[in-house]
Amino acid sequence: MQPSPMKAKFIKRKQKHGRSANAGLTLIECLVAIVVIAATAASIGPMMVFSVATRVQNQRTEQALQIAQAEVDKVRLVVEQGGDYGDRLNNLKLFRVNAASIAEVPAPNAFIDSTASVTSERQARRIDIDGDGTSDFAIQLFRTPGIELPSQTAGVTASTPVVFDYGVRVYDDAAAEQNITSLTASTTSLGFTSGEGDRGRQPLAVLYGQMGQGDRDASLCQYWQYAGSTPTTLQCN
């Protein structure tokens, strides 16, 4: 049964208004969804950037600490092997400084190739840890004169430091080279960062310590002499 012309016109108008209302509601929902997504992305985006940058810096710091400890272990191995090891320490490019305190040694102002000779306390050697042909870190390795004994071995020219202080600082090569004339000696702090953080000027890792050979004659006396005081109960020549 066909509706009357008046009723058909009313139904058609109602359907028309219904479609228009539904279309308008869908458009508003889309706009609201876009606004919500944009607001969410705007609030989460910076945190993601901070998170990624901080994770990268922490990974670099961990690598730098491992490198610094490896350098110290190399020096300790030479000392523990004994003998007149002055030349062997020099082969490790452990630079002898004249600073009163190991922490007073200034930061490097030049990065040199890993195979080059270290001729200044302010030089740091580049190293490539992943073998891609690009240096990743730069190492500043140095020691105080300490108590040195002349070599007793033919062919060994360098004196042997039986007690000495050492220092090693590891810098991020790519980041620090941009600020090579204004590097500092204090270690970088770990925390949230959105970029390079402090590694553009500060070392990622710093290790200071004291090392000595304990199986030589008069080793104990030499240690106390280096410390600046000798117990009255200890007889030293």
Side-chain angles (χ1 to χ4, degrees):
M1 180 178 178
Q2 296 294 331
S4 64
M6 182 65 71
K7 188 174 182 180
K9 186 176 181 180
F10 175 77
I11 293 174
K12 186 176 181 181
R13 182 181 297 176
K14 185 177 180 181
Q15 290 175 344
K16 180 179 179 181
H17 284 289
R19 285 196 302 271
S20 178
N22 289 337
L25 182 61
T26 302
L27 179 59
I28 292 175
E29 288 177 344
C30 290
L31 291 175
V32 171
I34 292 173
V35 171
V36 171
I37 293 173
T40 303
S43 61
I44 295 178
M47 290 303 299
M48 293 181 64
V49 172
F50 273 103
S51 177
V52 172
T54 301
R55 182 178 180 183
V56 169
Q57 175 160 310
N58 290 345
Q59 288 178 338
R60 299 287 285 180
T61 300
E62 183 178 354
Q63 288 178 318
L65 284 171
Q66 293 174 350
I67 292 170
Q69 187 59 56
E71 293 294 318
V72 173
D73 290 342
K74 291 177 185 178
V75 175
R76 180 175 289 109
L77 178 61
V78 168
V79 173
E80 290 178 350
Q81 287 175 343
D84 291 323
Y85 49 78
D87 285 353
R88 281 178 281 156
L89 286 182
N90 291 341
N91 291 337
L92 295 179
K93 301 181 180 179
L94 178 65
F95 192 80
R96 182 181 183 274
V97 300
N98 292 316
S101 170
I102 201 71
E104 294 177 0
V105 176
N109 58 9
F111 290 169
I112 62 174
D113 189 76
S114 60
T115 59
S117 298
V118 179
T119 59
S120 168
E121 64 186 25
R122 303 203 65 183
Q123 291 178 334
R125 293 181 292 111
R126 287 188 166 104
I127 61 169
D128 175 15
I129 63 172
D130 52 15
D132 63 353
T134 302
S135 59
D136 302 294
F137 297 94
I139 303 173
Q140 184 186 22
L141 184 65
F142 47 92
R143 70 170 178 88
T144 59
I147 302 295
E148 295 182 325
L149 300 179
S151 171
Q152 302 296 322
T153 304
V156 178
T157 58
S159 299
T160 299
V162 292
V163 183
F164 59 92
D165 291 335
Y166 65 83
V168 55
R169 300 172 185 147
V170 182
Y171 293 82
D172 186 311
D173 190 352
E177 188 177 23
Q178 302 174 16
N179 307 295
I180 191 65
T181 59
S182 58
L183 298 181
T184 66
S186 57
T187 184
T188 183
S189 58
L190 294 179
F192 284 107
T193 178
S194 59
E196 293 180 351
D198 297 329
R199 59 193 173 103
R201 296 184 184 277
Q202 296 176 293
L204 292 173
V206 175
L207 292 179
Y208 298 139
Q210 190 175 94
M211 199 171 296
Q213 190 180 37
D215 59 353
R216 282 178 176 265
D217 293 338
S219 290
L220 184 58
C221 289
Q222 290 160 354
Y223 174 80
W224 281 109
Q225 179 184 351
Y226 184 64
S229 62
T230 303
T232 56
T233 57
L234 185 64
Q235 296 182 353
C236 297
N237 296 327

